[in-house]
Amino acid sequence: MSTAGNYLKINLTTATVTSEKINVHDAQKFLLGSGYAALLYYKEMDPGIQALDPENTIYIFNGLTTGTIIPTACRTSFCGRSPLTGIWNESNVGGHFGAELRKAGLDGLVITGKSETPVYLYVHDASVEIRSAAHLWGLDTFDAYDALLLETDPKARAAVIGPAGERLVHFAAILQGGRNHSRAAGRGGMGAVFGSKLLKGIVVSGSEKVQTAKPDELRSLVRMQIPIIKKATEGLSKFGTAGGVAGAEYVGDLPLHNYTGGSWPEGAMMISGQNLAEQYKVKQTFCFACPIGCGKHVDAEMEDGTHITGEGPEYETLAGMGALTGIDDLDAMLKANDYCNRVGMDTISASTLVAFAMEAFENGLIKAEDCDHHQIQWGDPVSLLNCLRLIAEKRGVGEILGLGARAAAEHFGGGSEVYAMHSKGLEMAYHDPRATFSMAANYATANRGACHLEGLSYWMIYGLDASSWSPQKADRFSIAEAAQEAIAFQNYFSLYNPLGLCKFIGKSSISPQTIAELLTAATGWNFSGSELLETGERIFNLKRMINNRLGISSEDDDLPERVKSTARPSGGAEGQLFDLALILKDYYLLRGWDDEGYPKQETITRLGLDSI
C-alpha cells in the first residue's frame, strides 16, 4: 500500500522520539492527513490546553496518497488548535516537503513540548535529530531555508517559520520551498505554534522508493486523468490563481473596499495575473506530481530599484492586498507578497487586518502615533507595507492587529466589530458569500472558520460540472438550495487533505468514483465513490465534534453583519442578500445536527463515530 505505516512522536521538552504505527483500520476509515490528525486529536485532546501552551500538540501528516504518482499527490496537513481561533485548524501545503517525508519512510510527525533554546528537526530515512537553531533564529524564511539545506542535505526539503512565527503573530505561516517555490501552510497560525515551541523548522531527506499496491493499474489510470486535468486547468497553468481576479470581479465574487464596494473592473485588471505576465518575467513552478503548474515565479525589476525574484502573488493575496484595500499598484502587490513570504505570514489574514486598520483609522479609532506616525489610508501602497511591517514586528498598533480581526475589534471597540471580517476568529477568504449563497453556509459552518477551501462551491459560477458529488445544481442566489450544495461540496472536498491531493484537480470534475479507483490501485484497499463521500462526511463531522468540545455551537455559526445586511451596490452580485438563519436551519436538518449545532446521536452512530 502507499502509506509508509509509521509516524514519529517528538517531545521537545524531553528531547525524546518514539515511533508509532499507523492503525490500518483507522486509516481506512479516516484516511491520513487531516483525517488521521483529527482522530488523534479527538482522542488525546485536553480542551484546557491553549494553542500556544508548550503541551499543545501539532499533528503533521501526509495524505494517504502523498508521494505517489497520482496527480498532485503532494499535500501535507499541519493540524491542531489554532492560536488565532482557539478551535480546530488544519493548514495544508503542497510543494515537495510531503513527498520527501514519505521517501523518508514516514507518514507524519506529532510534536509536543517546548525546547529550552531554538531548535530544528532533521528527519532522514525515518530517524530524527534535534539540532540547535540558535544561529537561525531571526532569519527570514528564505535565508533560513538556504542555511538549513546547506548544513544538512542540498537535496532535502524544509518547512520553516520566519520572524512572524518567532514573535507569535497569531496568523503566522509555515513556508516550504524557499525563495524559488514558496508554498505556505498559511491559515490559522500554525507558524506561531512552531514559534511557541522554539521550533524554527523541519528538514526532511529520504531515499526510500514509494511503493504502491498495483503500480501498472495505477499508471494506466493516471495516464487517463492527466490530459483531462490539464485541459480543465489551462487558465491556472498559464496565469496561476492570479488569473482569476478580473473574472471574480465581473461576477461579483471579488470583495472590494472591505466588503462595501460593488465594481472595480479597471483596478482588477491592473492587479491581475494577466497583467503580471505582461509586465514581468514569469515562469511556471510545479509541486510534486503536479501536471498543472499553477505556481508562478516572478523576476521583477521595478522603477524604484527594487528587485524581487520569487513566488508571485496568488489570487487571495491580490484580492486582499489590492481589491480589499483599493490599491491597484502591481508593484505594491509584489512587495507585499514577498514581505509576507519572507516573514512567514498568512496573506489573507494580514490583508484583512490592513483593511480593518484603514477603516479604523478613517473612523478615528487608530491614531498616527500608533503607526510610527504614518497615516493608514485607503488605496495607499505605503500604508499597506507599513502596516504589514508593524504587524510582523509587533510594534505599535501591529501588536493588536497581530492577534487577528476578532481580537482587534474587541480591543478598539467603537463599532469596529462591523468591519472585522471573520467567522469564528478566522478572517474571511476572498470569495464574497453574497455572490454564491452556498458559500455563506460554508463560511458559517466550516470547521476552521471562514475558509473557502472546505467547500469550493463558488466554482459553480464558472461552469464547473459537480454532478458526480452534488447532483442537484443550485442557483447561486437560491436560499432554499444553498445548504444542500454547501454540504455536498464540504463532504467531497473533505477528502482532499486526508488523501494528500490538491483541490485544483477538482476543477476537472474528477468524480469520487475515479478517485476511489486511483486510491484502490495505490493502496490495495477497496473503495467506492459512495464510500469515499461518506468518509468525507465522517471526517467533517469528527472535526465538528472537536469544535463542540472546544465550545463551538450554533451561536458561533455566523458571518459578519456587513455581508448579511448590506448588498453590493453594483456589479455581478448587485442587490443580493442571503438569509443565513433560514440557510442554517436547512443545513442542520440535512447534516443531522440538533438546533445547537451538535451532531445528533443517530448521525454519530451512522458514521461510525461512536466507537471513538
Side-chain angles (χ1 to χ4, degrees):
M1 61 185 181
S2 61
T3 176
N6 299 285
Y7 65 95
L8 299 180
K9 296 183 75 171
I10 302 163
N11 188 315
L12 294 177
T13 302
T14 60
T16 55
V17 180
T18 57
S19 180
E20 300 286 338
K21 289 285 186 183
I22 295 290
N23 183 297
V24 173
H25 173 74
D26 288 341
Q28 290 172 333
K29 196 172 178 179
F30 296 93
L31 310 176
L32 290 181
S34 62
Y36 204 85
L39 178 65
L40 292 181
Y41 185 52
Y42 184 82
K43 290 180 175 181
E44 299 168 357
M45 68 185 292
D46 176 351
I49 296 177
Q50 300 301 311
L52 299 181
D53 189 294
E55 295 309 307
N56 183 42
T57 301
I58 184 167
Y59 300 82
I60 305 169
F61 276 94
N62 281 341
L64 189 57
T65 72
T66 299
T68 70
I69 64 169
I70 294 176
T72 73
C74 64
R75 313 291 296 191
T76 307
S77 294
F78 292 72
C79 305
R81 193 167 191 176
S82 164
L84 182 64
T85 65
I87 59 174
W88 167 260
N89 189 60
E90 58 189 272
S91 198
N92 188 265
V93 67
H96 294 78
F97 177 87
E100 197 68 26
L101 183 63
R102 177 60 191 83
K103 285 170 60 183
L106 294 169
D107 288 317
L109 306 168
V110 175
I111 303 171
T112 192
K114 178 181 180 180
S115 175
E116 291 185 359
T117 57
V119 294
Y120 72 90
L121 305 178
Y122 179 33
V123 181
H124 46 99
D125 286 336
S127 65
V128 61
E129 299 174 45
I130 302 174
R131 295 185 174 186
S132 173
H135 58 302
L136 305 174
W137 207 250
L139 294 184
D140 70 28
T141 63
F142 294 174
D143 290 342
Y145 188 93
D146 291 344
L148 284 169
L149 266 59
L150 189 64
E151 61 186 68
T152 55
D153 178 351
K155 294 182 179 180
R157 306 289 180 169
V160 301
I161 62 170
E166 296 173 3
R167 296 182 183 123
L168 310 185
V169 172
H170 280 194
F171 42 85
I174 300 168
L175 274 288
Q176 78 91 51
R179 69 191 73 236
N180 292 321
H181 188 43
S182 303
R183 314 308 287 174
R187 307 235 65 195
M190 303 317 272
V193 177
F194 266 37
S196 72
K197 298 181 178 302
L198 294 185
L199 178 61
K200 182 65 176 178
I202 304 170
V203 185
V204 293
S205 176
S207 58
E208 183 177 301
K209 183 177 175 60
V210 176
Q211 303 292 331
T212 54
K214 304 174 184 178
D216 292 339
E217 181 180 332
L218 183 60
R219 276 192 293 270
S220 178
L221 289 168
V222 167
R223 280 195 295 267
M224 286 190 288
Q225 289 305 311
I226 285 178
I228 298 172
I229 293 169
K230 283 185 174 181
K231 177 68 175 176
T233 56
E234 287 176 337
L236 282 172
S237 297
K238 194 170 185 180
F239 298 115
T241 59
V245 172
E249 189 281 333
Y250 179 76
V251 298
D253 189 43
L254 180 69
L256 306 173
H257 202 78
N258 205 21
Y259 289 85
T260 64
S263 301
W264 197 55
E266 295 84 5
M269 278 306 302
M270 287 292 292
I271 62 171
S272 68
Q274 290 84 345
N275 192 37
L276 181 68
E278 193 173 300
Q279 297 295 323
Y280 294 114
K281 297 176 183 177
V282 178
K283 64 179 181 180
Q284 277 182 287
T285 59
F286 291 81
C287 297
F288 178 84
C290 179
I292 301 169
C294 75
K296 295 292 168 279
H297 184 278
V298 178
D299 191 339
E301 193 75 50
M302 301 176 187
E303 290 184 1
D304 66 359
T306 302
H307 182 214
I308 288 177
T309 177
E311 197 73 34
E314 303 273 357
Y315 166 87
E316 299 288 339
T317 305
L318 296 165
M321 305 293 183
L324 203 71
T325 62
I327 299 173
D328 62 2
D329 185 327
L330 190 56
D331 286 359
M333 300 298 97
L334 291 171
K335 291 175 182 177
N337 180 70
D338 182 72
Y339 181 75
C340 286
N341 282 345
R342 286 178 178 275
V343 299
M345 199 156 64
D346 172 30
T347 59
I348 298 177
S349 288
S351 54
T352 298
L353 268 299
V354 172
F356 173 92
M358 288 176 172
E359 198 160 352
F361 191 95
E362 181 181 47
N363 287 284
L365 298 175
I366 295 176
K367 309 295 185 184
E369 52 263 34
D370 302 320
C371 312
D372 279 355
H373 300 283
H374 290 292
Q375 306 284 313
I376 305 180
Q377 297 178 323
W378 295 106
D380 177 28
V382 175
S383 294
L384 167 67
L385 295 168
N386 284 341
C387 203
L388 291 175
R389 291 190 185 96
L390 289 170
I391 294 170
E393 295 171 10
K394 294 185 78 171
R395 290 190 298 108
V397 72
E399 186 168 1
I400 302 303
L401 297 178
L403 300 175
R406 179 172 61 186
E410 290 172 356
H411 174 84
F412 290 109
S416 61
E417 68 277 356
V418 174
Y419 36 92
M421 307 304 290
H422 73 89
S423 179
K424 298 183 179 71
L426 185 71
E427 288 71 30
M428 282 177 59
Y430 297 132
H431 298 280
D432 197 321
R434 294 168 294 186
T436 314
F437 288 179
S438 57
M439 286 300 293
N442 173 64
Y443 281 142
T445 62
N447 284 304
R448 67 175 183 175
C451 166
H452 63 303
L453 293 169
E454 288 194 41
L456 290 154
S457 58
Y458 72 89
W459 283 357
M460 296 297 286
I461 303 176
Y462 307 103
L464 177 72
D465 176 10
S467 57
S468 65
W469 68 84
S470 183
Q472 293 183 311
K473 185 178 180 181
D475 182 284
R476 66 172 171 138
F477 299 126
S478 170
I479 293 172
E481 299 170 320
Q484 185 174 29
E485 183 170 79
I487 290 169
F489 271 74
Q490 287 174 339
N491 289 347
Y492 174 73
F493 281 110
S494 287
L495 293 167
Y496 275 70
N497 291 355
L499 287 173
L501 302 177
C502 174
K503 291 177 181 177
F504 285 159
I505 65 170
K507 284 181 173 286
S508 72
S509 303
I510 187 169
S511 71
Q513 183 57 39
T514 299
I515 295 174
E517 291 168 2
L518 289 162
L519 184 56
T520 297
T523 63
W525 304 338
N526 289 318
F527 290 94
S528 68
S530 60
E531 287 170 338
L532 276 186
L533 287 178
E534 184 176 75
T535 300
E537 183 184 6
R538 179 183 303 116
I539 292 169
F540 188 90
N541 276 271
L542 172 60
K543 294 169 186 175
R544 179 67 178 199
M545 290 163 63
I546 289 172
N547 281 344
N548 290 151
R549 280 190 179 181
L550 295 172
I552 293 298
S553 69
S554 58
E555 291 184 2
D556 303 286
D557 293 339
D558 202 2
L559 293 177
E561 187 59 35
R562 178 168 285 173
V563 295
K564 292 192 297 182
S565 61
T566 306
R568 291 177 70 117
S570 58
E574 179 182 354
Q576 297 293 336
L577 285 175
F578 52 83
D579 187 323
L580 185 60
L582 285 177
I583 290 173
L584 290 179
K585 183 178 180 181
D586 289 342
Y587 184 95
Y588 292 170
L589 180 65
L590 293 168
R591 268 278 178 224
W593 295 357
D594 65 23
D595 292 342
E596 299 300 313
Y598 286 71
K600 294 179 179 179
Q601 185 57 50
E602 54 261 38
T603 302
I604 293 171
T605 300
R606 176 176 61 82
L607 295 172
L609 291 168
D610 48 1
S611 63
I612 64 171

